[in-house]
Amino acid sequence: MISRYETEAMSALWSSNATFERWTTVEIAASAAWHDRGVISDAEMRQIREKSKAPDAARVREIEKETNHDVVAVVRALGEHVGEPASRHLHRGLTSSDVVDTALAIAIRDSLEVVIEATESARATIARRAIEHKTTPCAGRTHGVHAAPTTFGLRLAGWYSELGRHLERLRAARVECAFGKLSGAVGNFSQTDPAFERFALDELGLSHEPIATQVVPRDRHAMVFSVLALLGAGSERFAGELRALQRTDLREAEEGFTPGQTGSSAMPHKKNPITAERLTGMARLLRGYMLAAHENVALWHDRDISHSSVERVAFPDAFHVVHYMLLKLDRLVAELRVYPDAMQNNMDRVRGLMFSQSVLTVMLDAGLDRHDAYRVVQRSAMKVWDGKAGHLREALEREELVQNDLQPASLDAAFSMDRYTRHIDELFKRTGLGS
């Protein structure tokens, strides 16, 4: 990952040194399993535990120039730390993927913990802004066109609810990925046995893969990438809404703009939705990583190595990207400038048209035929669109059907926001935001 989008938490988990630290941990757990059955003496096990130190990345690369195999290079470098006679037991009965895949499970599990924490934080920020704007009227839009009135708080509450679903998926992915394997070259325990694997994985806090080949099946990893991509898509949905609201002709909300910030190198007046646009682009990256992970599922026979190069890039990058996105989303919502007056002005621009369904409803309540009522309301609405009437109510009051069969009080009710906010408390309670 380029430094621009790195996060400190993910760098700590996905650096080369962190990777070699996990591989070392797996080697120690396997040695502990051999010690438990008496293959490694007490003195040798003490030596392994006391002297095992994750190899320095530079030393590993130096050995790898000769071996062209990173796991072998790590085992050799680790052996230099442990020393004789205990170092002879390192990697006993294992294949490289036993170490790599089991350590990868730890990395994914720990990374998901970071993502879950960031998601919870962003969700809490959205909750606060949703409550703040619970009854702030704004235009509902479908097809980009004014539809019916809603509130900005209700829209935020929908995002809050969606993030709750993402959290459920992330927690499920954390369980789904926490499977290791120490079953050997093609997964049949030719050099060890299932009890050996259970002992080592228990020490690592992982479950055992029921049936592994030489690798943990990649459908587990594909599921993780799918969840991350879906979280990215949700963040993009939020970002897309905020980008649209910042358009000059709407300007109902806009990103925070700090003193000294530059919007454009050429146009000093510019304030652009750069964070929301960045989230949109990064969501595309997550979908790309997801596709690559799905293609990794179908490896040849008991395994090939085509997945390895993909995962060395995709896993750290995807976790950097999604964590970065969540941190930015959290800040974006926290600092979002909301303009209720602009929201009301944009609603007023369509001169009552947003209340057309409520007008139709009160006409039906008065006993009018639906098709006749719809025809009257639509005809009146088209006059407003065409500039032949100043307001929908004005156009309706010219209609004979309305004059004869509808009371003015009914029209008052039709053009009230009450109908659109009367269930807000219940809707908020559905999401857990209500008391």
Side-chain angles (χ1 to χ4, degrees):
M1 173 54 59
I2 63 173
S3 59
R4 183 182 183 90
Y5 301 129
E6 284 182 343
T7 71
E8 185 176 347
M10 290 304 170
S11 293
L13 288 170
W14 290 98
S15 67
S16 293
N17 287 337
T19 297
F20 299 154
E21 181 74 47
R22 286 189 291 270
W23 290 5
T24 299
T25 300
V26 174
E27 291 284 354
I28 294 171
S31 296
W34 287 121
H35 171 251
D36 180 67
R37 57 192 55 204
V39 175
I40 297 179
S41 68
D42 291 346
E44 288 174 320
M45 192 64 221
R46 273 196 307 274
Q47 183 181 350
I48 290 173
R49 288 197 182 277
E50 291 173 1
K51 294 193 174 183
S52 286
K53 175 185 174 184
D56 180 73
R59 177 56 180 152
V60 172
R61 300 300 176 227
E62 182 181 353
I63 299 172
E64 193 178 358
K65 289 178 182 177
E66 174 190 346
T67 64
N68 200 26
H69 196 295
D70 56 353
V71 176
V72 171
V74 167
V75 173
R76 283 194 189 177
L78 179 59
E80 292 173 354
H81 288 307
V82 172
E84 294 296 338
S87 62
R88 66 193 179 96
H89 297 296
L90 295 174
H91 208 65
R92 185 186 185 105
L94 304 182
T95 190
S96 296
S97 292
D98 289 334
V99 176
V100 172
D101 279 9
T102 301
L104 180 59
I106 297 171
I108 298 170
R109 180 194 64 193
D110 293 350
S111 296
L112 285 170
E113 287 286 354
V114 174
V115 173
I116 288 169
E117 181 180 352
T119 304
E120 289 172 337
S121 177
R123 190 172 186 242
T125 301
I126 291 172
R128 177 173 59 80
R129 300 307 301 269
I131 292 169
E132 177 187 352
H133 291 286
K134 184 176 181 179
T135 58
T136 301
C138 70
R141 295 178 174 91
T142 59
H143 305 276
V145 178
H146 279 43
T150 186
T151 75
F152 192 59
L154 189 59
R155 182 168 289 131
L156 290 167
W159 301 353
Y160 173 86
S161 182
E162 179 178 337
L163 278 179
R165 296 191 294 276
H166 290 303
L167 279 169
E168 291 176 4
R169 298 182 189 109
L170 289 167
R171 290 169 183 141
R174 181 179 55 189
V175 174
E176 177 83 7
C177 76
F179 283 75
K181 60 89 64 178
L182 296 171
S183 51
V186 291
N188 58 10
F189 295 100
S190 62
Q191 311 303 312
T192 59
D193 56 64
F196 167 90
E197 180 185 65
R198 283 194 297 272
F199 185 99
L201 293 179
D202 283 348
E203 185 159 305
L204 298 168
L206 298 173
S207 300
H208 62 273
E209 183 62 48
I211 302 292
T213 57
Q214 193 170 85
V215 296
V216 170
R218 258 43 199 175
D219 63 287
R220 294 192 184 279
H221 306 85
M223 186 266 202
V224 172
F225 278 101
S226 297
V227 170
L228 296 182
L230 192 54
L231 176 55
S235 300
E236 181 182 10
R237 182 170 82 91
F238 311 159
E241 176 69 18
L242 299 179
R243 289 172 65 191
L245 294 182
Q246 191 164 337
R247 288 169 44 192
T248 307
D249 50 342
L250 295 183
R251 201 162 179 259
E252 295 182 4
E254 65 181 7
E255 295 183 13
F257 198 80
T258 58
Q261 183 174 338
T262 299
S264 165
S265 64
M267 296 168 283
H269 75 281
K270 292 280 281 178
K271 293 198 292 184
N272 302 322
I274 57 171
T275 301
E277 290 172 340
R278 196 177 307 162
L279 295 178
T280 299
M282 299 184 96
R284 297 170 186 168
L285 287 174
L286 290 177
R287 288 192 287 274
Y289 297 136
M290 179 190 70
L291 176 60
H294 279 247
E295 292 180 341
N296 274 354
V297 173
L299 302 178
W300 285 17
H301 302 296
D302 295 297
R303 82 131 186 187
D304 59 62
I305 203 172
S306 61
H307 66 290
S308 178
S309 55
V310 174
E311 292 174 355
R312 289 171 190 265
V313 174
F315 264 121
D317 279 16
F319 276 114
H320 271 292
V321 165
V322 76
H323 190 220
Y324 179 94
M325 288 179 72
L326 288 165
L327 297 178
K328 289 298 181 182
L329 176 64
D330 195 341
R331 182 174 176 180
L332 170 60
V333 176
E335 299 179 355
L336 187 70
R337 300 176 183 179
V338 180
Y339 303 119
D341 289 345
M343 292 178 176
Q344 185 63 56
N345 289 339
N346 284 331
M347 293 173 66
D348 294 342
R349 284 173 59 195
V350 294
R351 295 165 293 172
L353 293 180
M354 299 181 71
F355 297 92
S356 67
Q357 186 181 19
S358 289
V359 173
L360 180 61
T361 296
V362 299
M363 294 176 77
L364 297 178
D365 289 344
L368 299 176
D369 176 77
R370 175 179 177 82
H371 298 293
D372 291 342
Y374 191 99
R375 190 179 305 112
V376 166
V377 177
Q378 186 181 50
R379 182 167 59 226
S380 298
M382 293 307 109
K383 290 178 181 177
V384 176
W385 278 124
D386 294 340
K388 297 176 181 177
H391 193 278
L392 178 59
R393 178 162 186 164
E394 173 190 328
L396 286 166
E397 288 172 341
R398 297 174 185 169
E399 292 284 346
E400 183 178 351
L401 190 68
V402 173
Q403 294 171 354
N404 294 338
D405 297 289
L406 214 59
Q407 298 296 319
S410 297
L411 278 181
D412 290 341
F415 285 93
S416 169
M417 275 295 298
D418 291 347
R419 183 181 292 272
Y420 300 94
T421 59
R422 60 185 176 176
H423 298 301
I424 282 251
D425 288 341
E426 177 63 26
L427 289 169
F428 267 60
K429 286 179 182 178
R430 285 184 177 187
T431 69
L433 286 172
S435 56

